[in-house]
Amino acid sequence: MAKKKKDDKPEPQSVLYYFYTQERWDNWMKTLMEMDFEGDPESDEMPEGLASLDNFTKDLNVSVLKIVKIFQNNGFDSKTALEKMNEVEEIIMGEVPDNELTDIIQGVQMRFLVLFLSCRKYINGEIPSAEIKDLVKSGRDVGDDDPEKALEIAADIGALVLDGGSCCGKYLRGDVDEPIMFDDWLIEVDDMGEAMKTLSKFDEEFGVGI
C-alpha cells in the first residue's frame, strides 16, 4: 500500500524546483523537428529521430515520476503532489502544433494517458488488490472495443507498479503484427518501472541545489 500522508507536510522550500517547463518541451520539439525519422533502409541502426524520441519519452517519464518519488518519501502531501502533476500534464498533454510531428506527438500523448492516470490512482491510494497477471488478461480481453476501460485497467497495473509491483516485460507481446493500444500502455508501464529505479536517490538530492 502507498505510504500514509500528512496533509500538513510542508513542501521543501530550499529551491524553486520545476519538474517540467514549457521551455523544455519547446526545446524538445525543435530538436525533434530537425531529426530524420526514416533513416537508411539499408542500415540496421535506429533512425536518429526514433532514438531522440526514445530519449524524449524517458525524459518525460522521469520528470513526472520525480513527483511520485517525493510523495512516497513524504516530501509532498497528496494535494501538493496532484497540483504538481497537473502543472506538468498541462504542458505534456497540451495542444499539438500542426506540422510533420503532429501524429508522432499525438501518439506520445496517447501513450502518456496511462502515466498520468496511474500516478493519480497511486497518489489517491486507489491501488487495486488484483494480481497483475489477471489485470493483463482482462485488459487484453477488452482490447480496443472499450478504450476507456482498457485504460483504467492499464492504470491499475501502473498504480501497482508504483506501489512496488513487477511488470511488464514478461507480458509484452512481440508476436503480433498490430499491437492493441493496451499493449502500448503496458510498454509505458514497464518504462515507468524502469524510470522509478533510476530515481532511487532523487529525494536525497531534492532541495539541495539541483
Side-chain angles (χ1 to χ4, degrees):
M1 294 294 292
K3 293 183 179 180
K4 292 183 178 180
K5 298 80 66 180
K6 292 183 179 180
D7 289 339
D8 59 350
K9 181 71 177 180
E11 180 179 341
Q13 296 293 326
S14 56
V15 292
L16 182 61
Y17 187 82
Y18 296 100
F19 293 93
Y20 207 81
T21 63
Q22 187 65 50
E23 181 181 11
R24 188 167 175 174
W25 174 270
D26 292 342
N27 286 339
W28 267 110
M29 293 302 102
K30 292 177 183 177
T31 297
L32 292 172
M33 282 287 290
E34 298 170 356
M35 296 288 105
D36 172 22
F37 284 85
E38 299 297 329
D40 183 352
E42 298 182 0
S43 174
D44 293 332
E45 293 186 7
M46 180 185 294
E48 63 174 1
L50 294 181
S52 292
L53 188 66
D54 183 57
N55 290 331
F56 170 60
T57 56
K58 287 179 179 176
D59 182 56
L60 293 175
N61 263 322
V62 169
S63 297
V64 172
L65 293 174
K66 283 177 179 178
I67 300 170
V68 174
K69 188 65 179 177
I70 294 171
F71 168 76
Q72 287 179 338
N73 292 326
N74 295 318
F76 287 156
D77 59 30
S78 59
K79 180 181 178 182
T80 301
L82 292 172
E83 288 174 350
K84 300 295 184 183
M85 193 76 56
N86 289 339
E87 291 173 5
V88 178
E89 185 177 23
E90 286 182 7
I91 298 170
I92 296 175
M93 305 300 282
E95 185 175 352
V96 178
D98 185 12
N99 55 39
E100 55 263 45
L101 287 178
T102 300
D103 290 344
I104 293 173
I105 301 304
Q106 286 179 339
V108 169
Q109 290 178 326
M110 182 67 70
R111 167 180 172 168
F112 276 91
L113 287 172
V114 75
L115 169 67
F116 288 105
L117 187 54
S118 296
C119 290
R120 285 196 170 85
K121 282 178 176 286
Y122 177 76
I123 291 170
N124 285 322
E126 299 170 4
I127 303 169
S129 57
E131 295 289 334
I132 286 178
K133 64 179 181 179
D134 295 331
L135 290 171
V136 170
K137 183 179 185 305
S138 296
R140 289 227 170 93
D141 288 343
V142 171
D144 289 335
D145 294 333
D146 189 343
E148 290 187 5
K149 184 175 181 180
L151 176 59
E152 284 288 336
I153 294 171
D156 281 341
I157 297 171
L160 284 167
V161 167
L162 294 177
D163 198 45
S166 179
C167 191
C168 296
K170 63 183 178 181
Y171 301 112
L172 300 179
R173 298 167 61 178
D175 59 346
V176 290
D177 294 331
E178 296 184 11
I180 60 177
M181 194 65 228
F182 182 78
D183 290 310
D184 288 341
W185 285 326
L186 280 187
I187 292 172
E188 169 57 24
V189 171
D190 187 58
D191 287 350
M192 288 165 54
E194 292 301 312
M196 287 299 288
K197 292 177 184 177
T198 71
L199 293 171
S200 60
K201 295 184 179 180
F202 173 72
D203 193 60
E204 296 176 11
E205 302 170 351
F206 183 76
V208 190
I210 58 174

